Amino acid sequence: MLDIGCGNGDWLAFPKQAGWQVAGVEPDENARRAGSDRGFDIRPSLSDFSNEAFNALTLSHVIEHVHDPLSTLQTCHELLIPGATIFIDTPNLDSVGHRIYGKNWRGLEPPRHLVLFNREGLHRALEASGFVDIRFRRRFYPLSGMQLQSRLIASGIDPFSDAAPACRAPKFTASELLEATFSKKHTEFLTVTGRRAPS
């Protein structure tokens, strides 16, 4: 399994404990060194794994940070063995939170987030990269945390600063909560899997 954007390897420990052989991609030198010191095979870029093949690739809140998502997905497709799986989690441009908070929505996160997707756009990008069996998954999303951070941004407060007030975000209305939780198109994040076609 290859985790792209693995940081210091914290998440890699879980599949390793489950019996996977794991490796990671991390461009940040300090994080990469910290993970390597823990015994993980972590390299600076996808191209460093060009001669290897994987049963699974994970990109958790990574695809929005790359300059050319389509090229990244095509490289991911090439690194997977036939029938293997890719997992992606990323902010949803069509989310309820974005609709409510607009330019202050926490998921925009400029300038770190370069390209954001909605459901249709991510599906097309995966399909164009050669993936099949593309499925969007339901999972729990941190609605209250996203809402609180968006409110702080709208108030001109850095949500990650020590000066950010320790207040609670008001709850979404019942209809907004239902839509953000169960709608196929309007969840805060998109979680999707796809496969390289079996040979």
Side-chain angles (χ1 to χ4, degrees):
M1 177 181 290
L2 181 64
D3 184 34
I4 301 167
C6 68
N8 64 8
D10 277 348
W11 185 83
L12 286 174
F14 295 104
K16 185 176 182 179
Q17 289 172 2
W20 287 82
Q21 293 180 0
V22 299
V25 172
E26 177 52 56
D28 182 85
E29 183 178 356
N30 292 330
R32 188 170 64 248
R33 185 184 304 113
S36 297
D37 289 346
R38 299 167 64 186
F40 294 115
D41 177 9
I42 301 176
R43 306 178 197 176
S45 71
L46 274 175
S47 61
D48 294 311
F49 290 99
S50 59
N51 295 321
E52 302 182 43
F54 296 89
N55 296 96
L57 283 172
T58 57
L59 298 93
S60 181
H61 292 271
V62 169
I63 197 70
E64 65 269 22
H65 293 273
V66 302
H67 289 273
D68 189 344
L70 191 58
S71 175
T72 298
L73 291 174
Q74 290 167 345
T75 301
C76 289
H77 185 268
E78 293 168 4
L79 289 173
L80 289 170
I81 66 171
T85 300
I86 189 171
F87 168 93
I88 297 173
D89 202 47
T90 188
N92 179 11
L93 200 57
D94 283 345
S95 72
V96 171
H98 187 212
R99 186 176 71 222
I100 293 170
Y101 291 101
K103 67 180 183 180
N104 297 307
W105 178 53
R106 161 70 171 81
L108 293 179
E109 204 173 317
R112 295 184 345 114
H113 289 180
L114 304 176
V115 179
L116 291 174
F117 291 92
N118 61 13
R119 182 184 172 103
E120 291 78 13
L122 186 54
H123 190 283
R124 285 197 302 270
L126 284 163
E127 200 170 49
S129 302
F131 289 98
V132 299
D133 194 22
I134 299 164
R135 299 182 185 185
F136 286 85
R137 309 287 181 166
R138 294 187 191 275
R139 59 189 291 260
F140 171 77
Y141 298 108
L143 299 176
S144 61
M146 289 286 285
Q147 186 179 31
L148 173 57
Q149 291 176 346
S150 298
R151 286 181 61 230
L152 291 172
I153 292 168
S155 300
I157 301 170
D158 179 352
F160 301 109
S161 74
D162 294 335
C167 57
R168 295 179 62 188
K171 294 180 180 179
F172 282 97
T173 65
S175 61
E176 290 167 350
L177 181 60
L178 285 171
E179 186 178 18
T181 304
F182 297 108
S183 167
K184 291 182 177 180
K185 291 188 176 183
H186 304 297
T187 55
E188 289 300 287
F189 300 136
L190 297 169
T191 301
V192 62
T193 59
R195 292 188 307 120
R196 178 168 178 167
S199 55

